[in-house]
Amino acid sequence: MARSGFLWGCFRKPLHVQVRSSYLRMKYLFFSWLAVFVGSWVVYVEYSSYTELCRGQECKTSLCDKYSKGVIDGTACSSLCEKETLYLGKCLSAKPHSQVYSGTWGDLEGVIRCRMETAPRYALGLEAQREPGASFNQPTRGTSVESFKEMVISHLKVRLGDQANLAALTDMLLSVADGNKDGHITLPEARSVWALLQLNHFLLAVVLQQREHAPRLLGFCGDLYVTEKVPHAPLYGLSLPWLLEPWVPAGLRRRMDQWFTPSWPRRAKISMGLLELVEDVFHGTFGSFLMCDVSAASFGYNDRHDLRVTDARHIVPELAFQEGMRERRCDSDRDCRYGVDCHTSCDLTKGRCTPEVTRPNLAKACEVLKDYVLRGAPADVREELEKQLYACVALRGAAEHMEIEHSLILNNLKTLLWKKISHTKDSK
């Protein structure tokens, strides 16, 4: 009896140990349940946002229905709707009404953009609204090619002003419309291109084709169009999983972004490409444009380190911007902005925004390049490069009011960079 009591005393756990074990089990169960609950909630939120943002299948179904009825046509319609060789891959959409996907077209990698019918009205009226049920109804049946050409020229005059080279731009657009290059534009092809012309970023893609700042246009169907994929995008930076994004301090993120960049001579060549883009959109061949979101996310580069615009939604015709701002009511300067980088001032006596931007395109571009091209710059150019970049960032006012200073800084920067890399293989 004494022996059995002794054994029971040896194997029986003290009360405080039992309580602690029970507490740990409850704690484990609670945190397991909490992890399951939070995980389920995150999955639900992500799925809901994905289904709201990513509606490419709806876009495809709508366009293919109109293609089958002969309403629209284009170089990509057959591949999208019949052969199914144009494939929508990863969803890149930031807004439900503007669908963006990476994808493949046969052996080609590309980016596919499609506008949904429920597009909201833009604050500046820079994009026309497509009304449900009234899609692709222009031009009407019986419209001649000459009449359609006049429609296009009139539209371009409204967007870009009465430029001397509008006829050349119109011919470029008609060439795009003639998908099979047979010298004839069908009514469905004309309707597709007319719908695309309402998209500011498509118009800019065509404008920038000559200077190769924009990815090559591969094809279209209705107001869906495909451009070649830019292999290196964004301009710099590291894509982190969305769960980690909020937890990385801004300073650390900035340093991490700089780690994943090409060598300095290649960065200098890419920087020259951005400066040349600024030069081309300011009093360019087909008018002036304002760059209203000059961030690394809007640009990329190819394997030859030539700059490419990857997101042109906020590069807008200056004339359209000014007219939109004149009509906008305001109580303070905060009411007078478009995108991230295009700000004007509020005329309190009239309660309207003034039309002139407070910073030119060049100052915004230099803000992006400042850290990008100064880091690792050769010692013999660093001081002068830093001086020119900070003078550039300090530019204020519309470029036409300070054209000499604007041109001087732009040329100084290009010359400084070119002299340093012109003798290297990176300049090719």
Side-chain angles (χ1 to χ4, degrees):
M1 190 73 175
R3 182 180 177 84
S4 63
F6 172 76
L7 292 173
W8 173 254
C10 289
F11 290 103
R12 188 177 58 181
K13 294 180 179 178
L15 182 61
H16 73 275
V17 174
Q18 294 181 40
V19 170
R20 180 176 176 81
S21 177
S22 176
Y23 169 75
L24 288 174
R25 279 198 299 271
M26 289 179 63
K27 186 176 179 181
Y28 172 77
L29 288 172
F30 171 76
F31 282 108
S32 298
W33 174 85
L34 184 64
V36 170
F37 175 78
V38 171
S40 302
W41 179 80
V42 167
V43 169
Y44 170 76
V45 169
E46 283 297 299
Y47 178 76
S48 299
S49 62
Y50 180 87
T51 53
E52 181 184 354
L53 281 176
C54 302
R55 300 162 60 194
Q57 192 58 42
E58 290 180 45
C59 195
K60 176 182 175 180
T61 302
S62 174
L63 290 174
C64 289
D65 177 62
K66 292 177 175 64
Y67 171 63
S68 66
K69 293 175 181 177
V71 176
I72 61 172
D73 200 359
T75 49
C77 287
S78 175
S79 298
L80 179 70
C81 304
E82 295 174 342
K83 301 175 184 176
E84 295 194 350
T85 53
L86 178 55
Y87 171 72
L88 276 66
K90 182 181 178 181
C91 175
L92 307 173
S93 306
K95 295 181 179 179
H97 64 265
S98 181
Q99 295 295 295
V100 184
Y101 280 78
S102 64
T104 55
W105 189 357
D107 296 331
L108 297 173
E109 288 188 281
V111 176
I112 303 157
R113 290 178 169 83
C114 176
R115 182 174 53 148
M116 299 298 291
E117 292 198 355
T118 52
R121 190 169 300 279
Y122 283 72
L124 281 175
L126 294 172
E127 304 270 9
Q129 185 182 23
R130 195 215 291 179
E131 299 290 347
S135 308
F136 307 110
N137 59 355
Q138 294 290 332
T140 56
R141 190 173 298 278
T143 303
S144 66
V145 173
E146 284 303 314
S147 297
F148 179 58
K149 188 173 182 178
E150 289 300 319
M151 280 176 63
V152 172
I153 290 176
S154 297
H155 176 78
L156 294 176
K157 282 182 179 178
V158 171
R159 305 299 259 183
L160 306 176
D162 194 3
Q163 305 292 328
N165 295 312
L166 287 187
L169 179 55
T170 302
D171 289 340
M172 288 171 59
L173 290 164
L174 294 181
S175 176
V176 170
D178 181 15
N180 55 10
K181 306 304 176 188
D182 61 355
H184 301 284
I185 300 172
T186 65
L187 181 61
E189 286 174 335
R191 284 174 171 166
S192 291
V193 168
W194 182 254
L196 285 169
L197 269 180
Q198 313 311 309
L199 304 175
N200 176 66
H201 45 87
F202 174 80
L203 176 59
L204 189 74
V206 175
V207 167
L208 295 178
Q209 290 290 303
Q210 283 186 320
R211 295 293 303 225
E212 299 185 347
H213 293 307
R216 186 163 54 95
L217 184 63
L218 299 178
F220 66 95
C221 179
D223 53 8
L224 173 150
Y225 69 100
V226 188
T227 57
E228 67 179 349
K229 181 182 177 181
V230 177
H232 306 285
L235 183 61
Y236 57 83
L238 180 66
S239 295
L240 294 174
W242 63 272
L243 277 173
L244 295 179
E245 285 280 0
W247 305 102
V248 180
L252 176 60
R253 180 59 194 268
R254 193 172 177 182
R255 286 196 296 274
M256 289 171 63
D257 286 346
Q258 295 296 338
W259 294 340
F260 296 90
T261 55
S263 64
W264 188 86
R266 289 172 174 171
R267 276 183 279 136
K269 183 181 180 183
I270 295 165
S271 300
M272 283 190 63
L274 182 54
L275 294 173
E276 288 169 357
L277 171 65
V278 170
E279 192 171 27
D280 288 342
V281 299
F282 171 61
H283 291 333
T285 309
F286 304 116
S288 295
F289 291 80
L290 295 174
M291 301 167 70
C292 295
D293 186 1
V294 188
S295 64
S298 300
F299 306 98
Y301 56 93
N302 62 18
D303 292 331
R304 297 178 63 245
H305 299 92
D306 298 317
L307 182 95
R308 295 288 184 269
V309 177
T310 57
D311 186 353
R313 287 174 302 165
H314 290 101
I315 302 181
V316 299
E318 185 177 30
L319 182 67
F321 173 86
Q322 290 179 340
E323 289 186 358
M325 279 298 174
R326 284 191 186 97
E327 295 173 3
R328 181 179 287 190
R329 295 184 180 278
C330 63
D331 296 315
S332 69
D333 291 349
R334 288 193 302 272
D335 300 322
C336 302
R337 62 173 58 196
Y338 177 74
V340 178
D341 293 313
C342 286
H343 304 167
T344 72
S345 57
C346 178
D347 186 341
L348 294 175
T349 59
K350 299 178 180 178
R352 301 275 183 175
C353 295
T354 57
E356 304 296 339
V357 289
T358 54
R359 291 185 81 195
N361 292 333
L362 183 58
K364 305 165 197 171
C366 288
E367 190 74 53
V368 172
L369 294 179
K370 181 162 54 70
D371 293 328
Y372 183 67
V373 78
L374 276 179
R375 187 181 66 84
D380 57 333
V381 296
R382 180 180 173 85
E383 185 178 348
E384 181 61 22
L385 184 59
E386 186 173 21
K387 175 184 172 184
Q388 293 293 336
L389 281 169
Y390 277 94
C392 175
V393 170
L395 289 171
R396 289 291 183 272
E400 58 266 26
H401 295 156
M402 49 190 311
E403 194 161 344
I404 295 176
E405 186 179 2
H406 182 279
S407 299
L408 184 62
I409 291 176
L410 180 60
N411 289 331
N412 285 346
L413 282 169
K414 286 173 59 180
T415 301
L416 198 60
L417 294 172
W418 179 246
K419 279 184 177 179
K420 198 62 188 172
I421 67 169
S422 58
H423 61 283
T424 69
K425 64 179 181 180
D426 298 302
S427 64
K428 303 296 190 292

